[in-house]
Amino acid sequence: MENLWGNLNDVDDFKVAKSILDEQALFIAKMTKNTLYAEVLIDNSYKDEILDTHDKNFFYKLVIRSEYLNHYEFKVLTIKHDLLQYPLEISLPNEIGEDLSKNPDVSDKLTYSPIVDYCLVANSEQEFIDYLGHILKSKNLMQIIKALYKMSDF
């Protein structure tokens, strides 16, 4: 019998959203000489509040931590997606969402909800990467990173 599965030769070209965040998380440690670091973690905080038990979504959060400020973390964003990856929801805290609301490249795509603060929806890997670039370069996030870095300077 012939192979009915089709061709999976391009499987290595496919990146899941968590991998993209993991790659970006590595840069913050290099940029701050290991004073700050970022982690991508499963975010279970949404399950109890928003989801019913039948929801099959994955939630990950990107956090920045300091080597010298015990247990403090700043949550940069949370992503939500199903197995297909896209569309993917990016939830942002007020500090970053308010900053992006002034950015003409993303302001018209940004929504606000009192439950999840600010939200963007990426419909493709490239759109996710584009949004992520705006988020990570946002003025307020840069200020937060600088403050964490200086507060960790003992």
Side-chain angles (χ1 to χ4, degrees):
M1 177 176 254
E2 68 180 274
N3 176 358
L4 302 177
W5 285 94
N7 187 345
L8 288 176
N9 290 341
D10 62 348
V11 72
D12 291 332
D13 297 334
F14 181 78
K15 274 191 179 173
V16 294
K18 182 185 180 301
S19 296
I20 294 169
L21 290 178
D22 285 333
E23 289 174 3
Q24 292 304 308
L26 296 174
F27 287 110
I28 193 77
K30 290 178 188 174
M31 293 169 52
T32 63
K33 301 176 187 127
N34 294 320
T35 301
L36 303 179
Y37 62 98
E39 291 183 299
V40 181
L41 307 167
I42 294 172
D43 191 347
N44 289 317
S45 63
Y46 286 93
K47 289 205 176 270
D48 296 332
E49 298 172 17
I50 299 172
L51 299 177
D52 63 42
T53 56
H54 304 311
D55 200 334
K56 302 293 185 207
N57 288 311
F58 297 87
F59 289 80
Y60 295 101
K61 63 182 177 178
L62 174 65
V63 298
I64 297 176
R65 294 183 171 161
S66 168
E67 211 39 58
Y68 305 101
L69 300 174
N70 291 341
H71 306 294
Y72 181 81
E73 71 179 31
F74 177 77
K75 182 163 57 170
V76 177
L77 58 81
T78 298
I79 61 169
K80 171 189 170 189
H81 62 79
D82 62 16
L83 275 173
L84 293 175
Q85 301 292 304
Y86 301 98
L88 171 146
E89 289 181 22
I90 307 167
S91 299
L92 303 165
N94 283 329
E95 298 91 343
I96 297 172
E98 287 172 2
D99 199 16
L100 291 181
S101 70
K102 300 169 192 160
N103 181 331
D105 293 331
V106 293
S107 61
D108 61 329
K109 297 164 184 82
L110 195 63
T111 60
Y112 178 79
S113 159
I115 296 174
V116 292
D117 296 328
Y118 288 89
C119 184
L120 288 164
V121 176
N123 291 303
S124 68
E125 180 180 321
Q126 188 56 56
E127 194 170 34
F128 176 52
I129 291 169
D130 292 344
Y131 288 157
L132 191 57
H134 289 291
I135 293 163
L136 298 181
K137 292 174 191 161
S138 72
K139 180 181 170 188
N140 285 349
L141 182 57
M142 289 291 106
Q143 288 300 110
I144 289 165
I145 290 170
K146 289 174 185 176
L148 282 173
Y149 184 76
K150 284 303 199 179
M151 290 170 63
S152 302
D153 188 17
F154 293 105

